[in-house]
Amino acid sequence: MNIITADDDIVLFGTLTDPELLEIVLGAVADAQPVALADHRVFTAAGETFPLLLPCEGAQAEGLLLKNLTDEQVARLDYYEAPYGYELVSVVLVDGQRARLYTPTDNQYGKGEPWSLAYWQQTMGAVTREAAHEIMDLFGKIAIAELVRKLGPIRARAQARVNARNDAPPVILRKGPSRDAVEVVAQNRPYSRFFAMDELTLRHTRFDGGTNLVEREVFVAVDAVVVLPYDPVRDTVLLIEQFRPAPFARGDLNPWCLEAVAGRIDGGESPEIAAHREAEEETGLHLSDLVPAANYYPSPGALSEYLYCFIGLADLPDDAAGLGGLDAEDEDIRSMVIPFATLMDAVRSGEVQNGPLLICTFCLDRERARLRADATPA
């Protein structure tokens, strides 16, 4: 196949060969043609999910050649690739023509398994496209260094939006219409760091058939997991205690809170994977199984956060308690192992003030007899 190229054409061999993602990044449908690069193959970067183009004698990497790009489109591509340390370099294609491609400039990534576009589209495509919308909304507004600091929260918020589309709770009692009955009249995001704040003007259908025009502020958090570790043989639970700034800001005389293990779901994670990871990070526990407890919005009037709650089955001897948390996140966590009856006493006395822990406790109370019967020999 003979393709006439120019030195300023760009060739892509990774995630941006996904047509939907490429359109989001370019802001337009691409003028793209199939192309190949001899003696190269696309691998997964070690420990990552994104691809890496590497020399591989006798192989041939299949990609896309982008032609007739505007200066703004090249700048948009640069903006999207720069946070990962990728820059444009010149390359000779199979037919001897020259073009440019994005490649890491300091070899910071190791070689993983061969990368598959189809597998990536199935597992990571949706969350990557969602994140790309937010990333490209920042094009021309913030510098690359600031964008790099925002990538984690951006991907976590993207994962939450994907989860919201995929979750399908039953609709039996509710009579309200779908989200298609809501019109976004105006939307502004005046604040975005670990959390974000959206100012919304919405028009939605009323139950009486009319419409409402409302102005609302939404605190945009991410999806999170909550895990209450439980040992059904010993009938004990593991709680954690840590400082929380929100009770402090309210004026609480004791802003150290009793909680279950909890943490955000990162981009590309399932709730189950996040639950196991958080248990390990906060307490060093290995959970043998997860029992679904409840999934819910803790404060849907103003907060987008959605919680996936589990009972985490674990072996909890007395020495399972200790200190934990990630230094990188300034976590200072004390864990304790107590009888389930002691937890219920703390609930009754009001010492447990944490909503997710309360819900997990009540769900464990519901499931406790079955879990103990399954775990204890007759």
Side-chain angles (χ1 to χ4, degrees):
M1 176 174 57
N2 294 319
I3 299 174
I4 299 176
T5 68
D7 287 345
D8 57 354
D9 290 340
I10 292 177
V11 62
L12 305 171
F13 290 98
T15 59
L16 285 173
T17 58
D18 176 77
E20 293 180 60
L21 178 61
L22 182 57
E23 183 175 350
I24 294 166
V25 173
L26 286 181
V29 176
D31 179 0
Q33 304 174 48
V35 75
L37 182 63
D39 296 322
H40 282 77
R41 188 172 182 180
V42 183
F43 295 88
T44 303
E48 306 287 352
T49 59
F50 57 82
L52 191 65
L53 181 70
L54 294 173
C56 185
E57 187 174 355
Q60 182 167 292
E62 307 293 333
L64 286 179
L65 180 70
L66 305 186
K67 302 181 66 65
N68 303 313
L69 293 168
T70 66
D71 290 343
E72 180 179 348
Q73 288 172 338
V74 174
R76 289 174 68 92
L77 287 167
D78 289 346
Y79 189 78
Y80 187 77
E81 295 281 18
Y84 305 99
Y86 279 60
E87 295 182 357
L88 284 171
V89 298
S90 183
V91 65
V92 179
L93 303 175
V94 167
D95 57 7
Q97 301 292 326
R98 299 190 68 83
R100 296 180 297 166
L101 64 77
Y102 288 97
T103 187
T105 56
D106 55 5
N107 298 316
Q108 71 267 44
Y109 301 117
K111 173 184 169 183
E113 296 296 316
W115 185 79
S116 163
L117 175 62
Y119 180 75
W120 176 87
Q121 288 172 322
Q122 178 184 355
T123 58
M124 299 298 298
V127 68
T128 304
R129 295 182 203 108
E130 280 292 336
H133 281 293
E134 188 168 342
I135 290 169
M136 298 316 299
D137 281 345
L138 298 172
F139 173 68
K141 299 175 183 176
I142 66 171
I144 296 297
E146 186 177 355
L147 175 62
V148 170
R149 293 192 293 270
K150 293 179 180 288
L151 284 180
I154 285 174
R155 287 186 58 80
R157 287 193 288 268
Q159 185 64 60
R161 293 192 293 274
V162 172
N163 292 345
R165 290 201 301 266
N166 293 338
D167 288 338
V171 179
I172 299 172
L173 300 177
R174 288 179 287 179
K175 299 301 180 183
S178 72
R179 66 179 289 114
D180 293 337
V182 183
E183 175 191 358
V184 180
V185 178
Q187 181 172 0
N188 180 45
R189 178 164 290 181
Y191 177 84
S192 176
R193 289 182 65 185
F194 187 84
F195 299 110
M197 175 71 75
D198 280 355
E199 297 172 337
L200 301 172
T201 302
L202 306 173
R203 180 179 288 108
H204 69 83
T205 303
R206 292 169 50 91
F207 288 112
D208 63 10
T211 60
N212 260 7
L213 182 67
V214 296
E215 294 181 349
R216 296 289 186 267
E217 290 76 39
V218 175
F219 189 70
V220 183
V222 301
D223 287 1
V225 291
V226 180
V227 187
L228 178 58
Y230 176 62
D231 185 333
V233 175
R234 296 180 175 89
D235 198 25
T236 54
V237 294
L238 183 141
L239 304 185
I240 65 172
E241 181 183 9
Q242 62 180 320
F243 171 77
R244 288 304 197 184
F248 175 80
R250 177 176 175 263
D252 198 306
L253 296 179
N254 191 346
W256 273 260
C257 297
L258 295 177
E259 302 178 356
V261 171
R264 81 178 187 186
I265 300 173
D266 290 331
E269 275 190 322
S270 68
E272 291 78 11
I273 290 175
H276 283 283
R277 174 180 56 77
E278 288 292 342
E280 177 69 28
E281 289 177 358
E282 294 192 355
T283 68
L285 278 182
H286 170 73
L287 303 177
S288 61
D289 199 8
L290 292 172
V291 179
N295 304 333
Y296 61 96
Y297 291 99
S299 185
L303 179 63
S304 71
E305 183 179 48
Y306 189 78
L307 300 182
Y308 296 82
C309 296
F310 300 96
I311 307 304
L313 302 186
D315 183 31
L316 297 178
D318 291 341
D319 61 3
L323 303 180
L326 293 180
D327 290 340
E329 297 181 7
D330 297 318
E331 291 180 327
D332 177 40
I333 295 172
R334 181 180 81 92
S335 60
M336 66 191 81
V337 175
I338 60 174
F340 177 77
T342 302
L343 171 58
M344 289 300 293
D345 288 343
V347 169
R348 295 187 187 97
S349 72
E351 186 175 8
V352 174
Q353 298 173 297
N354 177 272
L357 176 55
L358 286 169
I359 289 177
C360 284
T361 300
F362 295 138
C363 289
L364 175 54
D365 190 40
R366 179 192 66 201
E367 302 291 338
R368 177 167 161 258
R370 177 182 65 82
L371 294 175
R372 298 208 73 199
D374 290 345
T376 305

